[in-house]
Amino acid sequence: MDTSTTTITITATATATAISHRRLVLLPLPFQGHLNPMLQLANILHSKGFSVIILHTLCNSPNPTNYPHFNFVPIPGTGEDILNFSDMDKIISLLLYINTKFINPIKECLERLMSEDDGVACLITDAQWFGTQNVADILKLPRIVHRTSNISSFVCFAASLPLYVKGLFQRFSDEEMKLNAPVHGLEPLMVKDLSKFLLDDSEGACKLLELMIQGTKRARALIWNTFKELEERELEALGQHFPNPHFLIGPFHRYFQASSSSLLAQDKTSLSWLDKHPPNSVLYVSFGSIVKLNESQFLEIACGLAKSMQPFLWVVRPRSVEGSEWLETLPDGFLERVAEGRGYIVKWAPQQDVLAHPAIGGFWTHSGWNSTLESICEGVPMICSPCFGDQLPNARYVSDVWKIGVELENGFQREEIEKAIKRVMVDEEGLKFKNKIQNMKWKIDLCLKKGGSSYSSLEDLVNYIVSF
Ligand code: UDX
C-alpha cells in the first residue's frame, strides 16, 4: 500500500471536515465596485467548502435570490442614511459616518451569529470598514481585510500620509499642482495627479487613510484581487510596512462573474450590437459606477467620439451627467449619427462579457481597479481618464509602467480624445499595447492553474482560515 497517498487522502478529508464546519462572515462596502469583488470572493471561499454569511447594509444590498447558497444578514438601521451621502464629494464623510454610526449594529449582529451553534470562524471586511477592527478585538474574532483596489495604489496611499504630514501637498501652489513632474516617494504619480488623488478635501482624505491603514495593520491578513506577477515589486514594498500575511488570489472574476451582484440591469443588447462588428474595431467607453461628469465634459466626450470616426459602445448611467436625466445634453444631431450604426449607447452593460467580445479593440475607462483588471484579463488596451483616488495611480501604471494604454493628460478635450482613440485603435502603437497586454493575459491564465501563484495563494488562504 502506498502510504504517502493514504496520508494525503486523510489530510484532505480532515481539511474538508475542518472547512465544512467553518462559517465566514463577509462584510462588503455598499458600492458596486466593492460589492462585485467581495461577492466573488464569497463565491470562491464557498467553492472551497466554507459556509458564507453576507452581512450587509440595507441600502444597496445585494439580491439574495442570486446567491441561494449564502445566508444574508441585514444590519438594522443602515438604509436611508447612506443615500444622503450619494454624491461623490461626500464620500469621505460617508465613510467616516458609517464607521462610527454602524459599528454597534454590526457588533450586535456578530455577537448573535457567534452565539449560534455554528459560531463564526472569521470576519472578512472591506478595508474601508476599518471601524470593525475594534469590534473584532472585543469579540476575539479574527478579522481579515479585503482591499478591493490593487497593491500599487495602496502603496501610494500609505506613502502619501507621511508626506502630507510633512506638508508636501500643501507646499505646491495652484500653478505647480498642474506640473507633469514625478512626486518623489509616490512614483509613478505626477504632481498634477495629487489633487484628484486625495480629492479636494486632502485633510479629510488623510484622516480617513490613517484610520484605514491602522485598521488594516491590525487585521490578521489581507486578501487582494490581483496576481503576483503583476505587482511583485509593490508587494515587496508593502510588506515592509504591513507584515501581515498577504494573499494574492485574483483575478476573482476568472472564478465567478460579477453579473449577479450588479445593482443595475445590464443591457444585453450591447452584445448583439457588438456581434455586427469585425474583431478589434469597437471602443468600449465606461466610467464605472460612481463617477459623475459635468455637462461640458460630457459634450467633449461626445464630440471626441464623433471626431474619431471609430465605432463605440458607450455606457451613460442615468443621472451621471450633472443636470440631466440621461442623454438630453448631447449635441444636436449626435443621436442621428449614432443611429447610423457607428455608436451605441446603453445605461449599463454586461461589462465583463463586453470586454471579452472579439469586436472590442479598446476600453476608455476611469481606471477603477475592477475595470482595469477586467480589461487586462481580456487583453484589451486602455485609454485612461482617472477621476479620483486609486484611479490616479491605476492610470499611471497602465500608461507609464505597464505600458498597456494611454492616459488623457488634460481632462476631457475633444482633440486629445480623438488622438488617444487613434493611438490605441488605429496606430502601430496600439499593436504594441495589445501585445503587452496579451502577454499579461497569458500570465493570468498561468497563475490560476494548479501550481500557479494565485492558485497556490488561495490554497494557503484556505489553510490559514482553517488554522484559526
Ligand atoms: C469604485 C472606485 O471608483 C474604484 O476606483 C475602486 O477601485 C473600486 O470602487 P467603480 O468606480 O464602480 O468603483 O469602478 P470599478 O472598480 O471599475 O468597478 C465597476 C464594476 O462595475 C466593474 O466590475 C464592472 O464590470 C461593472 N460594470 C461597469 C458593469 O457591470 N457594467 C457597466 O456598464 C459598467
Side-chain angles (χ1 to χ4, degrees):
M1 188 177 166
D2 178 350
T3 49
S4 62
T5 317
T6 317
T7 317
I8 290 165
T9 315
I10 290 168
T11 313
T13 314
T15 310
T17 314
I19 294 172
S20 70
H21 286 100
R22 304 268 155 169
R23 284 206 307 180
L24 310 180
V25 174
L26 279 75
L27 173 61
L29 206 67
F31 301 111
Q32 188 72 75
H34 293 255
L35 277 169
N36 283 1
M38 189 60 101
L39 284 157
Q40 288 160 350
L41 175 63
N43 263 332
I44 294 168
L45 293 170
H46 182 265
S47 75
K48 291 288 171 189
F50 292 105
S51 292
V52 168
I53 298 168
I54 304 290
L55 187 59
H56 62 89
T57 57
L58 291 167
C59 172
N60 282 350
S61 49
N63 183 352
T65 57
N66 290 335
Y67 302 92
H69 47 304
F70 299 160
N71 281 322
F72 283 82
V73 175
I75 310 163
T78 55
E80 292 305 305
D81 283 5
I82 294 183
L83 293 175
N84 296 335
F85 290 95
S86 60
D87 282 345
M88 239 359 268
D89 53 4
K90 295 186 188 147
I91 187 77
I92 293 173
S93 325
L94 166 64
L95 292 172
L96 292 170
Y97 179 86
I98 63 174
N99 274 284
T100 46
K101 280 278 173 182
F102 294 177
I103 293 303
N104 223 19
I106 290 173
K107 179 168 173 268
E108 283 164 13
C109 290
L110 287 172
E111 277 173 328
R112 185 169 51 76
L113 291 166
M114 288 172 77
S115 71
E116 291 169 5
D117 284 350
D118 290 336
V120 174
C122 171
L123 170 68
I124 302 179
T125 84
D126 194 290
Q128 308 266 33
W129 277 118
F130 42 82
T132 59
Q133 185 59 50
N134 282 344
V135 174
D137 289 345
I138 293 167
L139 299 180
K140 298 196 178 5
L141 181 62
R143 170 177 176 253
I144 297 181
V145 158
H146 167 37
R147 175 68 183 158
T148 54
S149 57
N150 62 5
I151 296 180
S152 311
S153 64
F154 193 79
V155 169
C156 279
F157 279 126
S160 68
L161 258 190
L163 297 180
Y164 177 79
V165 173
K166 279 189 206 151
L168 175 96
F169 300 159
Q170 302 86 319
R171 212 176 292 146
F172 294 115
S173 66
D174 286 354
E175 265 317 294
E176 283 169 333
M177 281 301 252
K178 294 180 191 147
L179 278 177
N180 224 351
V183 189
H184 184 59
L186 287 188
E187 296 88 352
L189 278 187
M190 302 281 182
V191 176
K192 68 177 187 182
D193 297 331
L194 290 178
S195 58
K196 287 202 221 159
F197 178 53
L198 292 181
L199 298 164
D200 288 339
D201 175 11
S202 48
E203 197 181 328
C206 283
K207 183 175 172 198
L208 190 71
L209 264 182
E210 197 175 353
L211 292 168
M212 182 187 68
I213 286 171
Q214 282 169 5
T216 303
K217 275 195 174 147
R218 285 164 56 206
R220 292 282 185 100
L222 276 106
I223 302 174
W224 297 95
N225 183 13
T226 186
F227 57 105
K228 190 172 153 215
E229 289 72 7
L230 186 69
E231 302 195 276
E232 200 151 18
R233 214 163 32 102
E234 290 73 18
L235 177 64
E236 215 179 291
L238 183 74
Q240 289 169 14
H241 301 284
F242 294 81
N244 344 31
H246 296 269
F247 298 98
L248 283 62
I249 64 171
F252 292 179
H253 73 281
R254 286 290 299 268
Y255 304 82
F256 296 96
Q257 280 217 333
S259 49
S260 40
S261 56
S262 195
L263 296 168
L264 298 171
Q266 297 182 324
D267 187 337
K268 299 268 177 358
T269 63
S270 320
L271 299 171
S272 40
W273 184 82
L274 285 174
D275 287 341
K276 296 181 207 136
H277 290 81
N280 294 320
S281 63
V282 178
L283 177 72
Y284 172 56
V285 187
S286 169
F287 303 119
S289 64
I290 311 178
V291 165
K292 289 205 169 166
L293 301 166
N294 61 37
E295 192 179 332
S296 107
Q297 292 171 321
F298 186 59
L299 283 181
E300 289 302 308
I301 293 170
C303 293
L305 287 171
K307 276 162 82 69
S308 78
M309 299 307 289
Q310 205 65 33
F312 60 88
L313 168 64
W314 184 11
V315 176
V316 181
R317 289 182 344 266
R319 292 170 296 284
S320 62
V321 182
E322 269 167 28
S324 152
E325 184 54 33
W326 195 36
L327 302 176
E328 304 88 272
T329 38
L330 278 176
D332 284 346
F334 187 86
L335 280 176
E336 289 70 34
R337 287 201 294 279
V338 166
E340 280 166 17
R342 194 165 62 79
Y344 195 60
I345 305 180
V346 294
K347 292 179 175 165
W348 191 246
Q351 179 162 304
Q352 292 170 13
D353 294 328
V354 164
L355 287 168
H357 196 287
I360 294 295
F363 180 13
W364 182 6
T365 168
H366 69 312
S367 303
W369 181 237
N370 295 295
S371 293
T372 306
L373 194 58
E374 288 161 16
S375 208
I376 294 175
C377 274
E378 301 306 337
V380 178
M382 284 162 265
I383 298 171
C384 304
S385 287
C387 295
F388 57 83
D390 67 320
Q391 299 158 15
L392 277 294
N394 293 346
R396 285 279 160 231
Y397 269 84
V398 165
S399 67
D400 301 1
V401 180
W402 300 325
K403 300 187 193 307
I404 50 175
V406 298
E407 177 163 351
L408 287 177
E409 296 286 350
N410 302 299
F412 297 98
Q413 293 180 5
R414 62 190 76 180
E415 284 79 19
E416 197 185 343
I417 293 169
E418 184 192 0
K419 274 190 204 143
I421 296 176
K422 290 225 164 84
R423 277 177 74 187
V424 169
M425 301 290 293
V426 183
D427 295 351
E428 190 91 341
E429 197 182 7
L431 275 182
K432 287 192 188 142
F433 297 144
K434 184 89 190 164
N435 286 341
K436 282 216 157 200
I437 203 165
Q438 281 289 350
N439 197 20
M440 286 183 170
K441 179 175 152 63
W442 289 323
K443 283 187 183 159
I444 289 176
D445 293 341
L446 285 180
C447 79
L448 293 168
K449 288 204 172 111
K450 194 165 186 207
S453 62
S454 292
Y455 181 98
S456 306
S457 192
L458 177 56
E459 303 266 286
D460 292 345
L461 173 63
V462 170
N463 290 330
Y464 184 74
I465 296 175
V466 170
S467 75
F468 290 147

